[in-house]
Amino acid sequence: MNVIMRFMKRNFKAILVVLTLSVALLGFSLFPGKKESDPEKDKMLIELLTFVIEKGHYSPSKIDDTFSKGVYKDYLNALDPSKRFFLQSDIDEFAKYETQIDDQILNKELTFFDLTYNRLMKRMDESKEYYKVALDKPFDYKKNESINTDYEKLPYAKNTAELKERWLLQVKLSALSSLVEKQKLEEDLVKDKNKTIDEKLKEYRESLGDKITPELEKKFIADAEKKKNQAPKTYEQLEKETRESTLTSLNDNFSFIKDLDREDWFSVYVNAISSRFDPHTSYFGPSEKEKFDVSMSGKLEGIGARLQKKNDFTEITELISGGPAWRGKQLEAGDVVLKVAQADGEPVDVVGMRLDDVVKKIKGPKGTEVRLTVKKQDGTIKVITIIRDEVEIEETYVKSSVVEKDGYKYGIIYLPKFYIDFEDQNSRDAGKDVALEVERLKKEGVQGIVMDVRDNGGGSLKTVVDIAGLFINQGPIVQIKSAAGKKEVLYDKDPKVQWDGPLVVMINEFSASASEILAAALQDYKRAVVIGSKQSYGKGTVQNVIDLNQFVRGGTYGDLGALKTTTQKFYRINGGSTQLEGVKSDVAIPDKYAYLKMGERDIENAMPWDKIDAAEYKVWDRQNNFDLAIEKSRQRMSNNAQLNLIDDNAKWLDERNKENVYSLNIDKFKAEQKALDEKNKKYKPIGDYKNAFDFNSLPYEVEQTNKDPVLKEKRQRWHESLSKDIYIEEAIHILNDLQSENNKGLTTKVKKEKLVKS
């Protein structure tokens, strides 16, 4: 969602000059050979960081007691999100610094950080004994007890005895979920004994698709033969195995933590400071900066999923189109990864593990197998097997498809992000690529186009202007306001309209930043009908990534990392900001995440919404049945049984998300899981849905897919997903309603009804 543009760099030059001079005057002295944990380097980093933010941030917060309280809260939550390390006595001792962090920042003091860091190391070391004792003997799963995992509301343990009990319940829950999972596998093993090897092999082939190899088949057959004569394991054996695997996972987790140095923990503290200015201002430590640089490369090997940390848990946020996880159709955005296993290896508990370490366990060489134990949005727990593969960033580029309805042909353009390479004018960029796809669709004789920017997190604002300009006469596209209050309007200066026919823009809750600007501009011009979620993400700010090393002269402490800070805010041409409010759809369609808190508006210290003067622009007047098409779509939505089911599922997921109490009685735990499975059956038709359309690649791409089986599979998968997409279906219906010939009689009827009512 970061938008880094040439004009940002241009506007920031003056600040950079001031900062460079100021750093020299501030007396930063550099001593070659200093270790990474050198407190002097830490003091200098905080001073440099806060100075850069205060001078360059769009609206820097005042570093006062209120700011201090925010840092205090965020930092402690980051150190101990599940409240299983610190005692209440520790918090009482820390509390005196709650309103002093601002003073320590200004005075370059590290007292609070040193205290919390040293205490955390001590408590973590003590905690190793707590879980080892808890796992030393069998759990009593017949005992009626439960655990509340709402850590935010959970108080800190009053004493060591209470903390030990908390650890016992947490590891018991982990072991219980593993035990139930293992019992299911044993039940399946008994059922499998009645199947032939050929029947089992057929099911295995279907589950892996074309990723099956002779080696995997051979191994599967050997395992199947071995299991055939294998006696089912007893409850006692399974119970012991789960405690042993939980112990191994926790030992691995603590060994990873032990590898973290003071610099890693100091980055947590610095981020707690920087993120208080706004949610999108953050510090990249040296290792994070390196990963950021690596992420710009063309390819990677893994499962093709993006992850993020939420308290103690790792959540799947996005599946990369074309990747193994995407092809497997089992992993979904919103799934929480609980355990990771390598091929036949024991699952490793990743709850509480560093995100970097979870990623390392999931990533791996092409052709190797990884098994993820995930918690689905509905609360069920599943084990998903994925064969790692090469994930091509090519799938982040624009692509298109054609579809027919009632004798009309329509085009679908999917744009995952607004990409561009400012350093290479000859490289691909979203503006040029979308223009090319529009031309190709025109040659195919399409009579309407859908621009799909769902899940598009943003990118280059320049490409937004270029793309919006394809559909309008020359005019303003977006307004930008800098920290100094200067307003800049970005225009499409080309009077040419590349596509003047019916247009629909599709958005969802994850359409953010630059994609919101495109949707907003085309909505303000009444050039396109915007359909999708009730509103988009709501990120109306611009960030610039600043390498902190450029401010230091005369030596080095090593890599200081980088700062991503908010430097500008953008506004619609009607004057309203997209911040918090996002873009509201003309036709709001229920979706799975409708009631979950996932937008900018749900972040505590998000920047506020505001408004500036509107730019001068002329509304598109070539679509005489625009409002009628919207009204017809809304009527269809209200009577659609499938959408009503989706809305009901969304409400249920919201309720499930609020439930944090789990029974640790095995019979009750199984009953809860069974009830969830039964409830889930009601929503099975959502996944089984299929619309009435066939989607096809353009001729040029058909030639490519005939030569490239991987690309062919990707397009087949995409077209298959489009054929099951009720939102695409409605977009096509709207394009059909926008056909003037289709609506002449109905338009006249509506006008007459309005005259009668008036």
Side-chain angles (χ1 to χ4, degrees):
M1 293 186 289
N2 303 331
V3 183
I4 305 172
M5 301 162 285
R6 280 196 187 283
F7 64 83
M8 276 197 290
K9 295 177 181 177
R10 184 177 69 242
N11 292 345
F12 217 72
K13 280 183 179 178
I15 295 174
L16 296 184
V17 171
V18 173
L19 288 175
T20 306
L21 291 173
S22 300
V23 168
L25 293 172
L26 284 170
F28 294 147
S29 57
L30 306 177
F31 302 95
K34 285 283 186 180
K35 294 180 180 179
E36 290 184 344
S37 60
D38 178 15
E40 291 305 311
K41 174 187 174 182
D42 297 337
K43 293 176 182 178
M44 184 270 285
L45 179 59
I46 286 183
E47 183 174 6
L48 177 60
L49 195 78
T50 53
F51 188 76
V52 171
I53 292 175
E54 287 185 320
K55 297 299 180 183
H57 194 277
Y58 177 81
S59 180
S61 303
K62 185 179 180 182
I63 301 180
D64 54 13
D65 286 354
T66 301
F67 182 90
S68 181
K69 289 178 181 178
V71 174
Y72 178 85
K73 175 187 172 185
D74 292 349
Y75 176 55
L76 290 185
N77 184 57
L79 290 185
D80 189 13
S82 54
K83 297 178 180 175
R84 59 180 178 179
F85 295 121
F86 290 134
L87 296 170
Q88 184 59 52
S89 58
D90 297 324
I91 302 304
D92 293 340
E93 189 176 349
F94 300 158
K96 67 180 180 181
Y97 294 99
E98 187 175 11
T99 58
Q100 293 181 23
I101 297 174
D102 56 322
D103 302 310
Q104 294 205 354
I105 291 172
L106 297 174
N107 296 324
K108 294 185 288 183
E109 292 180 24
L110 301 176
T111 311
F112 176 62
F113 169 74
D114 288 335
L115 174 63
T116 53
Y117 168 71
N118 291 326
R119 187 63 50 83
L120 181 65
M121 296 302 102
K122 181 176 184 292
R123 296 300 184 215
M124 282 185 169
D125 193 52
E126 294 169 348
S127 298
K128 294 177 187 177
E129 293 305 312
Y130 302 160
Y131 71 77
K132 288 177 181 177
V133 171
L135 292 166
D136 191 47
K137 57 185 179 182
F139 286 117
D140 179 7
Y141 289 120
K142 292 297 182 180
K143 187 177 180 180
N144 281 321
E145 59 184 356
S146 60
I147 181 173
N148 190 329
T149 59
D150 187 358
Y151 301 123
E152 188 175 340
K153 295 179 181 178
L154 192 71
Y156 287 94
K158 296 177 183 177
N159 48 51
T160 302
E162 193 174 304
L163 191 60
K164 287 180 180 178
E165 177 67 14
R166 185 168 297 179
W167 270 98
L168 186 145
L169 295 179
Q170 288 183 346
V171 296
K172 186 175 182 179
L173 176 62
S174 178
L176 175 59
S177 64
S178 293
L179 177 59
V180 171
E181 177 190 314
K182 284 179 178 289
Q183 286 182 322
K184 284 182 180 178
L185 291 174
E186 288 300 314
E187 291 170 5
D188 292 340
L189 181 64
V190 173
K191 292 177 183 176
D192 273 357
K193 287 199 172 188
N194 298 321
K195 295 179 182 177
T196 65
I197 297 295
D198 287 339
E199 288 174 329
K200 295 177 185 178
L201 184 58
K202 182 181 178 183
E203 292 177 357
Y204 184 64
R205 284 170 176 162
E206 289 175 353
S207 67
L208 291 183
D210 66 353
K211 290 302 168 186
I212 192 76
T213 64
E215 291 76 17
L216 287 172
E217 283 192 6
K218 185 177 180 181
K219 180 178 176 300
F220 178 82
I221 293 171
D223 290 341
E225 290 287 358
K226 183 180 177 182
K227 291 176 182 177
K228 189 174 182 180
N229 302 315
Q230 186 178 321
K233 292 180 180 178
T234 65
Y235 169 86
E236 288 73 21
Q237 287 175 310
L238 295 176
E239 197 280 334
K240 184 180 179 182
E241 282 183 9
T242 56
R243 282 186 291 112
E244 289 174 346
S245 61
T246 301
L247 178 62
T248 300
S249 296
L250 285 166
N251 285 337
D252 287 344
N253 189 16
F254 271 81
S255 69
F256 279 120
I257 292 174
K258 186 179 178 182
D259 290 338
L260 300 178
D261 56 27
R262 187 178 183 278
E263 183 184 75
D264 291 313
W265 295 107
F266 190 67
S267 290
V268 175
Y269 180 55
V270 172
N271 248 311
I273 295 171
S274 60
S275 63
R276 287 313 301 178
F277 288 90
D278 82 283
H280 305 289
T281 292
S282 60
Y283 169 67
F284 293 156
S287 58
E288 285 79 17
K289 180 175 176 288
E290 182 180 351
K291 292 183 191 109
F292 177 78
D293 294 337
V294 170
S295 70
M296 302 305 290
S297 62
K299 296 179 181 179
L300 57 93
E301 289 186 355
I303 67 169
R306 302 190 195 283
L307 314 175
Q308 75 174 16
K309 203 73 174 175
K310 282 197 173 179
N311 291 328
D312 242 10
F313 300 99
T314 300
E315 183 179 290
I316 304 293
T317 59
E318 179 188 354
L319 299 182
I320 298 174
S321 179
W326 176 82
R327 290 197 302 266
K329 301 181 183 179
Q330 296 185 69
L331 203 63
E332 298 177 290
D335 288 351
V336 175
V337 182
L338 304 177
K339 300 180 182 182
V340 181
Q342 310 301 323
D344 289 336
E346 279 292 323
V348 175
D349 191 342
V350 297
V351 176
M353 191 179 289
R354 264 205 338 168
L355 180 62
D356 292 345
D357 299 322
V358 178
V359 171
K360 286 176 184 176
K361 288 187 175 296
I362 295 176
K363 285 175 65 178
K366 176 180 178 180
T368 57
E369 179 183 309
V370 64
R371 286 181 288 118
L372 306 182
T373 301
V374 302
K375 180 182 176 183
K376 309 293 286 184
Q377 287 279 335
D378 57 19
T380 57
I381 296 173
K382 293 186 177 180
V383 179
I384 299 173
T385 299
I386 302 173
I387 303 300
R388 298 180 179 102
D389 200 353
E390 187 174 72
V391 182
E392 293 181 297
I393 307 303
E394 169 68 27
E395 280 305 302
T396 64
Y397 294 142
V398 66
K399 58 187 175 185
S400 63
S401 178
V402 290
V403 61
E404 292 188 21
K405 175 178 169 55
D406 297 338
Y408 292 96
K409 187 180 288 187
Y410 301 115
I412 314 292
I413 298 177
Y414 175 59
L415 182 64
K417 69 176 183 179
F418 294 85
Y419 50 89
I420 194 171
D421 185 348
F422 284 115
E423 306 305 322
D424 183 2
Q425 296 294 326
N426 297 318
S427 68
R428 295 185 66 173
D429 75 61
K432 291 186 290 188
D433 286 355
V434 171
L436 182 59
E437 291 305 309
V438 170
E439 280 304 306
R440 287 167 170 164
L441 290 171
K442 284 168 66 176
K443 287 181 180 178
E444 287 302 297
V446 302
Q447 289 144 306
I449 291 177
V450 175
M451 276 294 304
D452 185 357
V453 291
R454 290 177 295 177
D455 302 319
N456 184 321
S460 161
L461 204 54
K462 176 188 179 301
T463 60
V464 178
V465 176
D466 292 341
I467 293 170
L470 301 175
F471 306 109
I472 64 165
N473 296 315
Q474 57 187 6
I477 304 299
V478 62
Q479 304 186 88
I480 302 168
K481 189 178 175 185
S482 64
K486 180 183 177 183
K487 187 179 81 170
E488 181 179 2
V489 182
L490 300 188
Y491 289 88
D492 164 44
K493 298 179 181 178
D494 185 355
K496 177 186 175 184
V497 181
Q498 190 171 10
W499 176 255
D500 62 359
L503 182 66
V504 169
V505 174
M506 299 186 69
I507 62 171
N508 63 7
E509 295 98 335
F510 305 109
S511 300
S513 194
S515 57
E516 294 176 285
I517 289 301
L518 177 67
L522 295 177
Q523 186 179 60
D524 288 346
Y525 275 107
K526 291 196 75 172
R527 176 64 187 91
V529 175
V530 177
I531 75 166
S533 305
K534 185 177 180 181
Q535 73 173 69
S536 56
Y537 186 82
K539 180 182 178 292
T541 56
V542 182
Q543 282 70 44
N544 194 18
V545 177
I546 305 165
D547 187 345
L548 295 176
N549 296 295
Q550 66 182 299
F551 301 119
V552 183
R553 61 182 181 81
T556 180
Y557 272 120
D559 194 343
L560 290 171
L563 174 71
K564 178 173 64 115
T565 187
T566 298
T567 56
Q568 295 170 311
K569 209 170 181 182
F570 31 62
Y571 298 81
R572 304 171 66 132
I573 56 176
N574 69 8
S577 171
T578 56
Q579 178 64 14
L580 296 186
E581 290 195 1
V583 178
K584 292 179 171 59
S585 296
D586 295 314
V587 180
I589 307 177
D591 64 48
K592 189 175 182 179
Y593 307 107
Y595 301 98
L596 298 178
K597 294 183 177 181
M598 306 179 80
E600 181 94 356
R601 61 196 177 279
D602 301 310
I603 303 175
E604 178 190 351
N605 62 321
M607 294 180 70
W609 178 90
D610 63 339
K611 188 174 183 179
I612 62 174
D613 293 336
E616 291 186 15
Y617 64 98
K618 183 181 179 183
V619 172
W620 185 264
D621 59 3
R622 303 187 204 175
Q623 191 70 59
N624 58 11
N625 50 351
F626 188 89
D627 294 331
L628 179 63
I630 291 174
E631 182 56 35
K632 290 184 68 177
S633 179
R634 288 173 178 169
Q635 290 176 8
R636 275 192 300 271
M637 296 303 92
S638 63
N639 299 319
N640 190 299
Q642 181 74 0
L643 289 175
N644 289 335
L645 184 63
I646 290 173
D647 190 51
D648 184 57
N649 186 34
K651 291 175 182 176
W652 181 62
L653 287 175
D654 183 44
E655 289 302 312
R656 284 291 310 155
N657 197 48
K658 296 171 184 175
E659 294 179 18
N660 299 292
V661 178
Y662 294 88
S663 174
L664 297 177
N665 175 287
I666 191 168
D667 296 322
K668 292 181 179 179
F669 185 84
K670 284 182 177 179
E672 289 169 359
Q673 290 295 307
K674 185 178 179 180
L676 288 173
D677 289 337
E678 287 299 315
K679 181 70 175 180
N680 222 19
K681 289 179 182 178
K682 175 183 177 181
Y683 303 114
K684 191 174 182 295
I686 294 175
D688 296 337
Y689 183 80
K690 195 174 189 309
N691 58 48
F693 301 118
D694 292 321
F695 300 85
N696 299 286
S697 293
L698 295 170
Y700 86 94
E701 197 169 66
V702 171
E703 292 181 17
Q704 293 178 358
T705 56
N706 288 335
K707 300 174 184 177
D708 184 349
V710 175
L711 179 62
K712 186 173 185 177
E713 184 199 356
K714 287 179 180 178
R715 290 302 177 261
Q716 286 174 342
R717 295 280 185 178
W718 182 44
H719 293 154
E720 184 181 345
S721 68
L722 290 176
S723 69
K724 300 180 73 173
D725 192 331
I726 192 170
Y727 309 103
I728 281 286
E729 179 181 29
E730 181 55 27
I732 294 167
H733 285 316
I734 293 174
L735 285 179
N736 217 47
D737 292 338
L738 288 172
Q739 300 299 325
S740 298
E741 299 82 357
N742 231 26
N743 289 285
K744 283 180 181 176
L746 193 53
T747 302
T748 303
K749 180 182 177 183
V750 170
K751 286 181 178 178
K752 286 181 179 179
E753 288 177 350
K754 286 183 177 179
L755 286 171
V756 170
K757 289 179 181 179
S758 62

